[in-house]
Amino acid sequence: MSNETKLIFQHSRPGRGANAQAPKPVSEDQLSAIPASLRRKQKPGLPEVSELDVVRHYTNLSSKNFAIDKQFYPLGSCTMKYNPRGANRAAMLPGFLARHPLAPASHSQGYLACLYDLQNFLKEVTGMKGVSLAPMAGAQGEFAGVAMIRAYHDARNDDGRTEILIPEAAHGTNPATAVMCGYKVREVPVGKDGDVDLEALKQACGPQTAGLMMTNPSTCGVFERQIEAIAKTVHDAGGLLYYDGANLNAILGKVRPGDMGFDVIHMNLHKTFATPHGGGGPGAGPVGVSQRLLPYLPTPMAGLDEDSGEYSWIDTDTLPTSIGHLSAFMGNAGVLLRAYFYAMVLGREGMIRVGEYSTLAANYLLKRLQQVGYTAAYPERRASHEFILTLAKEAKELNVTAMDVAKRLLDYNQHAPTTYFPLLVPECLLIEPTETESKEAMDDFIAAMEAILHEAKTDPDMVKEAPFTQPVRRLDDVKAARELDLTWSE
Amino acid sequence: MPYIPHTPDDVSAMLDAIGAERIEDLFDEIPAHLKAGSSLDALPEGRGEMEVTRLMAERAEQDRYALSFLGGGAYQHHIPAAVWEIATRGEFYTAYTPYQAEASQGTLQVIYEYQTLIARLTGMDVANASVYDGASGLAEAVLMALRANRKSKSNRVLVPEALNPRYRSACDAIVRNQDVALDTVPFCGQAGQTLADSLSQYEGQDYAALVISQPNYFGSLEDVDALTDWAHANSMLVIAVVNPTSLALLTPPGEWGSEGADIVVGEGQPLGIPLSSGGPYFGFMACKQKHVRQMPGRIIGRTVDLEGKQGFTLTLQAREQHIRRSKATSNICTNQGLAMTAATIYMSLIGPDGLASVAGHCHANTQKLADKLTAIDGVERAFTAPTFHEVVLFLPQDADTVLAKLAEKDILGGLSLAKDYGMQNAILVNATEVHTEGDLDLFVAAMKEVLA
């Protein structure tokens, strides 16, 4: 591991530079058209470093990261599966990289063909009637979905619908999105078995209901068994049903959101379609819709003229009811191309295998972790592609928390599961192995978890003070928030 | 099985451990009649990496090479080889959001350096870890200004007509659901600028902010000092929309007028991100210290670990959706981590003098191109204002027709202003440091032929 502790600015020396990279300076004469009053007085404080300084510094920093390419990464609800290198190479082909987003369709047929195929692929996989690839992330897909629900009600002059219903176990983006779309949020409780409290939902539904946002399998890691009754309840009240595709991996090739009665869904291609997370993005959050929301899909989309075989952009001039553009151009093209590569390699049987083997892995891991002494949050239920352990007992009896176990896992070279989410399960770890991890990789994780439980009983400080092997020990988050230091100064 | 490692023995061992006979048994909680559509019959059969790579290579090839002078918010620049060689290292490429700080110090330090670079480039106090792109960044800035401007009770923001129309429409699509109105400030038809005089009609009215684009969509340089001071005198915040390359030469928004802009956003693509059909890019976002708690998105702080050693961590998370849910500043969850990482490497490589040199060549080449094109009979500059690296030209013929004829010669000769501004004969043209004298001459010769 690297011991690089300097910032790039601390490598800077006046007069140094990566001199192969910039063109020679222009003369002041050539800048004379820019009024002096608009000129910068002091040059910006970018570092002055050599090319080797930069390559070495950032290579060293990279080694301070955990990554799928290095470690098992069982983050629940994040679907950290292998990101095929072939997808990266295909998306970085010069023809795709050099294409200007506003290049005419005549110079974009190859790119448009990929998008068109991907739209159709996603339509079939999800059972929806139309797909737009425009949203740039899961949260933007959610925004597009709820904005379409609003556009639908508005078009019918059904303007008393002011509320979006959200199960309490939902991702934080769901309520935040509803508010961004101008709705109030009403939370719906979840029962002890992980299913939505149907009676409470019936009470909450009414003429003020614009829609319900839910994830299925839910963030409790179980399939919502009453989904048909839920759909009927919401639809009977005049609301629409939104599917958050965070957990789509679990049901690929098993059951489709369109067949469960959902009106609109978003997919996270950076989860289900294996595009990289890149340390926090970029993602892509395509949306799929049922028949009645087709007029509102965000633009642009790829269209095909069957007669001429020519592809073109479908934009607001041909779809004026669309909720419009969500970015300056047409979404995260490079992410879409990577997802297209993955979809084409997997094909029909591959898609079905994703649901099967991710579910197999999760159920195996759950059973084995129960055997070594951990407590499942929903022991009576099948795991979907992920499951929840609760360490409430360990926290009470041993004073060792879920966070402690998560931190100690890092010392065993295992990335921590998602901690403290969903909020309704105390001291929880949300664990998702994905279909791309081998049985041996899972067995190593199980062995680490078993060893940590033993440590918690015999040497709890070892767990409570972990990690010991990382570039830093536990960080002072309170100091970080109180004494804000967000930019470097010499 | 592509990307799935299990042998038949592994599968049996796992099923045995679970106590299930078949994988299908694991789906017994899903109502059987809902499963009917899941045979996915319409999907193609899977293919190997070789076949799919060939298919995509053929398609990439099909998007023929063209000599491009398109700008409009995305620009061709030289990208040092090291930028993406490093950014696509697996340790950056396949890491998750840095929630486990101890195991993410690489990504976290890169973001801290990025925040510093953006703050320095824009002349602002603080920056966040990036948002999706420049246009959605503007929407976030508008919503932020409504929260941050405590003197204003209005849900209205002034937006110049000379702002990139794609920014305007994306911003509108995002903020209109919260009943936010974007009122348009017209530009001067002679200068191609937003004049302070045109603002007098809004004096005394309650607006939360004024958006100032430097340069504006026409490439024109605005009198940012006058506009900024006018906004502040009228209790509005200033949202600056800027091109990052230009900031090597132009006054940073933090120094506009007597107090500086309050919020700065822009498209980060020129900083080492390939055109790549429109994304992934990243939006940068910076602000004055006093507004930092109203800023959306991820923010990284420097702190110490329990042994006193320097470390980096996510901070001010009480603004974010995973903590605050419906009370969050935005629903944004990701940043554009990988693109932002590439931009950090780009800015470090190019350095302050290098970026000034890139900006200088962009400006000089565009001036030269405009001079050469306006030497053709009937081609003239549309506006009198000074420009940075884009310029609007009037043609003696219909712009869309001329551009289509140029495209047939594999020259993408600019963007038409017909649809967005009703200027039937006007094109927006850009040149950067990548264009040679020969490229400019090819364009000029083709334009002469088309207009002949």
Side-chain angles (χ1 to χ4, degrees):
Chain A
M1 194 167 307
S2 152
N3 60 3
E4 170 71 323
T5 54
K6 286 183 177 170
L7 290 148
I8 190 69
F9 308 100
Q10 294 171 299
H11 292 286
S12 182
R13 297 292 177 273
R16 197 173 282 166
N19 298 326
Q21 299 306 340
K24 292 191 174 60
V26 297
S27 69
E28 271 303 313
D29 276 0
Q30 290 173 283
L31 301 177
S32 59
I34 302 176
S37 63
L38 299 179
R39 289 287 300 275
R40 186 168 191 132
K41 305 291 181 291
Q42 280 181 322
K43 62 184 183 183
L46 309 185
E48 298 182 64
V49 284
S50 72
E51 187 159 332
L52 176 57
D53 287 337
V54 173
V55 169
R56 190 171 286 161
H57 176 72
Y58 290 105
T59 301
N60 277 324
L61 287 191
S62 77
S63 72
K64 295 187 179 192
N65 274 359
F66 272 40
I68 304 174
D69 283 3
K70 290 164 67 183
Q71 281 98 0
F72 182 49
Y73 220 122
L75 271 176
S77 223
C78 301
T79 313
M80 300 296 283
K81 62 172 82 174
Y82 170 61
N83 307 140
R85 280 278 154 183
N88 186 49
R89 186 175 60 182
M92 303 275 265
L93 286 162
F96 293 136
L97 278 195
R99 202 190 140 265
H100 191 282
L102 302 175
S106 61
H107 286 68
S108 314
Q109 290 295 301
Y111 175 64
L112 280 164
C114 293
L115 291 201
Y116 186 81
D117 286 355
L118 181 61
Q119 286 171 189
N120 283 337
F121 197 102
L122 296 179
K123 247 180 356 192
E124 173 69 9
V125 160
T126 57
M128 306 308 284
K129 292 289 185 287
V131 164
S132 165
L133 305 171
M136 291 179 287
Q140 218 191 27
E142 286 184 37
F143 176 87
V146 178
M148 284 190 276
I149 289 175
R150 186 167 163 156
Y152 170 81
H153 291 311
D154 285 351
R156 295 154 50 93
N157 296 318
D158 192 355
D159 46 16
R161 299 191 178 273
T162 54
E163 268 183 19
I164 292 279
L165 300 171
I166 299 176
E168 59 181 331
H171 295 109
T173 47
N174 290 178
T177 298
V179 168
M180 278 194 89
C181 290
Y183 284 117
K184 282 183 247 162
V185 173
R186 184 189 286 209
E187 292 212 336
V188 180
V190 169
K192 282 197 167 29
D193 57 1
D195 287 337
V196 164
D197 182 337
L198 191 58
E199 280 314 307
L201 175 68
K202 284 179 178 163
Q203 294 298 317
C205 260
Q208 78 289 354
T209 304
L212 168 74
M213 297 178 83
M214 65 180 291
T215 315
N216 194 16
S218 73
T219 50
C220 298
V222 296
F223 187 83
E224 173 57 66
R225 292 169 293 191
Q226 320 162 92
I227 181 60
E228 289 167 286
I230 290 171
K232 185 170 187 318
T233 303
V234 174
H235 284 152
D236 284 353
L240 299 186
L241 212 59
Y242 182 94
Y243 181 86
D244 177 328
N247 294 341
L248 184 63
N249 216 57
I251 57 165
L252 278 185
K254 289 297 152 194
V255 60
R256 304 188 302 175
D259 300 332
M260 287 191 268
F262 286 95
D263 298 286
V264 51
I265 79 166
H266 89 267
M267 296 152 258
N268 296 296
L269 299 185
H270 45 285
K271 298 178 183 177
T272 321
F273 283 74
T275 72
H277 283 78
V287 282
V289 294
S290 61
Q291 191 75 33
R292 54 183 162 179
L293 291 182
L294 280 174
Y296 311 110
L297 279 167
T299 52
M301 291 177 279
L304 171 65
D305 181 336
E306 303 273 359
D307 296 331
S308 67
E310 297 234 339
Y311 295 94
S312 60
W313 291 108
I314 298 169
D315 214 325
T316 42
D317 44 4
T318 43
L319 191 67
T321 47
S322 162
I323 60 163
H325 280 243
L326 302 172
S327 65
F329 301 108
M330 45 284 290
N332 281 337
V335 179
L336 302 175
L337 289 168
R338 284 172 177 82
Y340 176 62
F341 174 96
Y342 177 79
M344 293 302 283
V345 169
L346 261 61
R348 190 186 74 84
E349 23 357 12
M351 282 289 121
I352 294 170
R353 280 194 296 259
V354 167
E356 292 183 340
Y357 287 92
S358 61
T359 301
L360 175 66
N363 279 279
Y364 170 71
L365 201 50
L366 169 60
K367 188 64 79 173
R368 292 290 314 280
L369 288 170
Q370 286 177 289
Q371 284 166 358
V372 303
Y374 285 94
T375 309
Y378 300 101
E380 308 302 318
R381 301 292 307 269
R382 289 278 189 212
S384 61
H385 67 314
E386 65 184 0
F387 59 90
I388 302 175
L389 299 181
T390 171
L391 277 76
K393 186 168 63 113
E394 288 78 5
K396 192 166 165 220
E397 294 171 4
L398 307 171
N399 198 24
V400 168
T401 66
M403 183 61 79
D404 296 331
V405 171
K407 296 297 184 196
R408 184 60 177 151
L409 274 167
L410 304 177
D411 286 331
Y412 284 86
N413 201 32
Q414 306 283 336
H415 196 278
T418 300
T419 52
Y420 299 98
F421 179 82
L423 306 169
L424 74 162
V425 180
E427 294 297 332
C428 70
L429 295 174
L430 179 59
I431 303 176
E432 177 180 3
T434 85
E435 71 279 7
T436 63
E437 293 293 340
S438 68
K439 180 170 170 295
E440 297 87 84
M442 290 190 278
D443 289 343
D444 287 347
F445 178 77
I446 293 159
M449 288 288 283
E450 185 172 21
I452 293 168
L453 194 55
H454 181 71
E455 286 172 350
K457 290 168 184 161
T458 56
D459 186 5
D461 285 348
M462 198 69 180
V463 185
K464 281 152 69 172
E465 290 175 20
F468 299 94
T469 58
Q470 300 305 306
V472 292
R473 301 284 305 278
R474 286 194 203 187
L475 292 162
D476 189 342
D477 289 326
V478 174
K479 177 183 162 71
R482 283 212 184 128
E483 303 164 30
L484 279 183
D485 175 354
L486 311 181
T487 57
W488 172 253
S489 49
E490 272 81 11
Chain B
M1 299 189 289
Y3 315 129
I4 295 176
H6 305 306
T7 65
D9 286 348
D10 293 335
V11 174
S12 325
M14 288 194 279
L15 284 171
D16 283 350
I18 297 165
E21 275 185 31
R22 302 171 308 144
I23 291 178
E24 192 54 38
D25 296 346
L26 305 177
F27 296 91
D28 54 8
E29 293 190 359
I30 301 178
H33 61 277
L34 287 180
K35 296 183 187 173
S38 298
S39 54
L40 307 181
D41 295 330
L43 291 186
E45 296 300 307
R47 299 183 233 179
E49 176 170 305
M50 183 176 77
E51 290 96 323
V52 178
T53 304
R54 184 180 298 150
L55 168 74
M56 291 182 73
E58 282 167 8
R59 288 183 167 177
E61 197 68 23
Q62 204 184 338
D63 294 346
R64 308 173 271 154
Y65 170 80
L67 179 58
S68 171
F69 297 89
L70 305 180
Y75 304 95
Q76 302 170 78
H77 291 289
H78 166 68
I79 300 172
V83 170
W84 286 94
E85 296 259 337
I86 305 290
T88 54
R89 284 179 64 89
E91 298 91 332
F92 286 133
Y93 187 76
T94 73
Y96 189 67
T97 300
Y99 288 130
Q100 291 292 339
E102 300 88 343
S104 314
Q105 284 297 300
T107 289
L108 287 162
Q109 184 173 331
V110 171
I111 299 175
Y112 180 81
E113 293 182 359
Y114 162 84
Q115 289 173 181
T116 305
L117 289 162
I118 292 298
R120 291 178 174 192
L121 198 56
T122 56
M124 303 300 285
D125 300 325
V126 291
N128 72 8
S130 76
V131 293
Y132 307 131
D133 78 338
S136 62
L138 175 60
E140 292 284 7
V142 164
L143 296 172
M144 176 179 166
L146 296 177
R147 294 189 295 270
N149 190 345
R150 302 245 156 77
K151 288 183 201 154
S152 167
K153 291 188 175 60
S154 102
N155 254 12
R156 298 188 300 169
V157 168
L158 285 173
V159 175
E161 188 179 9
L163 174 75
N164 186 330
R166 275 170 285 280
Y167 279 47
R168 168 64 185 254
S169 75
C171 183
D172 184 53
I174 294 168
V175 305
R176 69 167 167 245
N177 291 294
Q178 295 183 58
D179 296 325
V180 177
L182 306 177
D183 286 357
T184 303
V185 182
F187 64 89
C188 165
Q190 282 79 47
Q193 281 170 311
T194 310
L195 300 182
D197 286 352
S198 66
L199 291 167
S200 54
Q201 57 177 310
Y202 305 105
E203 252 160 46
Q205 296 188 42
D206 188 7
Y207 282 95
L210 169 70
V211 174
I212 302 174
S213 175
Q214 179 77 324
N216 67 26
Y217 187 61
F218 308 130
S220 302
L221 297 174
E222 303 278 12
D223 184 356
V224 291
D225 294 332
L227 297 174
T228 300
D229 286 341
W230 179 88
H232 286 149
N234 286 279
S235 301
M236 299 176 199
L237 296 186
V238 168
I239 300 172
V241 179
V242 290
N243 174 300
T245 310
S246 77
L247 291 179
L249 292 182
L250 302 180
T251 310
E255 295 171 18
W256 290 359
S258 50
E259 290 171 44
D262 299 280
I263 305 168
V264 182
V265 291
E267 176 53 68
Q269 178 274 331
L271 301 172
I273 315 302
L275 289 170
S276 57
S277 298
Y281 298 167
F282 69 96
F284 57 88
M285 190 164 197
C287 70
K288 289 181 179 166
Q289 182 79 36
K290 65 179 175 186
H291 299 312
V292 65
R293 285 183 165 73
Q294 299 303 333
M295 188 147 64
R298 195 162 291 150
I299 297 174
I300 305 307
R302 193 167 70 106
T303 183
V304 293
D305 72 359
L306 52 82
E307 291 171 354
K309 192 172 164 191
Q310 168 180 280
F312 303 89
T313 188
L314 294 165
T315 194
L316 297 179
Q317 292 187 74
R319 301 164 299 115
E320 293 189 72
Q321 50 76 27
H322 63 281
I323 307 288
R324 291 278 281 179
R325 302 176 72 83
S326 64
K327 305 238 168 19
T329 50
S330 166
N331 74 341
I332 195 164
C333 179
T334 48
N335 63 340
Q336 296 281 99
L338 202 64
M340 177 227 82
T341 300
T344 305
I345 301 170
Y346 175 87
M347 286 187 273
S348 300
L349 279 170
I350 209 81
D353 296 322
L355 195 64
S357 179
V358 169
H361 278 270
C362 290
H363 173 74
N365 263 346
T366 303
Q367 292 287 96
K368 200 187 289 178
L369 177 62
D371 288 346
K372 285 173 186 271
L373 286 169
T374 52
I376 302 172
D377 257 0
V379 180
E380 22 183 272
R381 275 181 180 256
F383 303 121
T384 55
T387 55
F388 172 54
H389 73 349
E390 280 183 293
V391 57
V392 178
L393 301 176
F394 279 135
L395 304 179
Q397 297 172 24
D398 177 75
D400 288 319
T401 314
V402 171
L403 291 173
K405 286 182 185 165
L406 286 168
E408 282 171 19
K409 299 173 183 289
D410 282 342
I411 289 176
L412 307 182
L415 297 168
S416 164
L417 297 187
K419 198 171 119 192
D420 294 314
Y421 291 95
M423 295 161 68
Q424 300 301 327
N425 289 7
I427 58 171
L428 178 68
V429 177
N430 155 263
T432 70
E433 84 278 13
V434 305
H435 293 100
T436 63
E437 188 90 26
D439 293 337
L440 306 187
D441 289 340
L442 267 174
F443 181 19
V444 173
M447 182 66 97
K448 275 185 190 155
E449 267 180 55
V450 166
L451 293 178

